[in-house]
Amino acid sequence: DKYYTPEEVSTDNPVAAMVYGDIHINAFSQKGQETLEKVRLALRPEKNIYHDVHDHHVGSHHTKNDVMFSLQKNAEGNMTIREELMKSVKFLSDKENAYLINDNHGDHLNQWFNRFKPLNDQLNIDLYYELGDMAREDAKEGGDCNLYRLFLQKYHEGEYNLNFPTADELFLVRGVDCSQHGHRGSNGARGSAKSFARSGHKTFICHSHTPRIEKGCYQGGVATLSLPYAKGMSSWGVTHGIIHDNGKRCLIHIVDGKLSPSMRRL
């Protein structure tokens, strides 16, 4: 919250953007959300940039043939995909200047839709046909038929509009390109911090859940470590990013649910 020069220490330094580590709202605890909200309200960033708000925990292609996963979900009450999507709606309802980056977990909804078989999933059949109607209307208007975007736009009732930068154009915040999630690299290759560091722009990505600085590429972490596939040794970190008004960047870490002493004072 301070800017140091040889002449003075300034305390009035606006934050251009907060780049949040992958949210995965289905696993993000209420306490964790409250801590992150306190950071947002303290820094008052001009832009709030979100990655992987949706997890697609229920209908993921990673678990479609996992019998044990299905048994567990049935024991828990078998939450529908619509219920999980509405968690994103609720989370974003009071977020001003929210920008949602095109990400792989949001794309999981389209992947689920493409392989859906109505006879095998009666629980989510109404959502399937509703999403189909949304996609048909979006296609008529020349849209990209991103089902997660369409669902949010239909059900978002917050005071502030949601913004959806595309991955095909620069989304510059004080000279830093924030358009990429990190899963998709150039020329059809997989994304990585090293490849983005060679892109010719300063970049800010997420995706791997491992915080990292690779030359001009900063990479955020994840908002929660309580994901079902987080087992064993890990380099993940609860880490979020800040882009200051002068284009300088930093990563902030939340360890065992606690901010650093300076962030707590702020």
Side-chain angles (χ1 to χ4, degrees), residues 6-54:
E7 289 79 29
E8 63 177 356
V9 178
S10 170
T11 57
D12 185 21
N13 302 289
V15 171
M18 277 282 293
V19 182
Y20 301 92
D22 292 358
I23 296 295
H24 295 290
I25 190 61
N26 189 57
F28 198 12
S29 70
Q30 187 61 39
K31 182 180 178 181
Q33 292 183 47
E34 290 170 357
T35 299
L36 198 57
E37 182 68 359
K38 289 176 182 177
V39 174
R40 183 181 76 87
L41 294 175
L43 296 176
R44 289 291 181 187
E46 293 179 16
K47 292 180 172 64
N48 292 286
I49 301 174
Y50 294 99
H51 292 255
D52 276 343
V53 175
H54 181 57

Side-chain angles (χ1 to χ4, degrees), residues 96-241:
E96 55 187 315
N97 302 318
Y99 292 77
L100 280 83
I101 304 304
N102 177 251
D103 50 52
N104 60 313
H105 279 262
D107 289 344
H108 284 180
L109 185 61
N110 276 63
Q111 295 165 8
W112 167 81
F113 182 86
N114 288 333
R115 67 172 186 272
F116 184 82
K117 292 180 174 57
L119 292 179
N120 295 341
D121 189 354
Q122 295 293 313
L123 201 61
N124 292 295
I125 194 168
D126 290 344
L127 176 65
Y128 171 77
Y129 286 115
E130 181 181 357
L131 292 174
D133 289 338
M134 292 182 191
R136 183 165 47 249
E137 293 303 315
D138 192 56
K140 290 179 182 177
E141 298 176 5
D144 61 359
C145 298
N146 183 302
L147 297 177
Y148 183 55
R149 171 183 64 81
L150 293 172
F151 188 93
L152 288 179
Q153 288 176 330
K154 178 175 180 179
Y155 288 100
H156 179 67
E157 296 180 348
E159 179 182 352
Y160 310 101
N161 291 330
L162 300 177
N163 303 279
F164 298 88
T166 73
D168 299 326
E169 297 177 352
L170 290 173
F171 171 39
L172 293 176
V173 179
R174 304 301 191 271
V176 180
D177 180 22
C178 300
S179 65
Q180 304 301 309
H181 175 56
H183 64 306
R184 187 190 300 115
S186 59
N187 304 321
R190 283 180 175 271
S192 70
K194 281 190 174 182
S195 67
F196 285 109
R198 297 193 295 266
S199 69
H201 285 92
K202 293 179 179 179
T203 52
F204 219 128
I205 62 172
C206 285
H207 178 58
S208 78
H209 300 176
T210 299
R212 185 175 180 180
I213 299 174
E214 181 71 31
K215 298 181 180 178
C217 177
Y218 275 55
Q219 182 166 321
V222 65
T224 175
L225 300 176
S226 301
L227 294 169
Y229 43 88
K231 294 179 174 65
M233 297 174 66
S234 174
S235 60
W236 290 10
V238 179
T239 302
H240 310 283

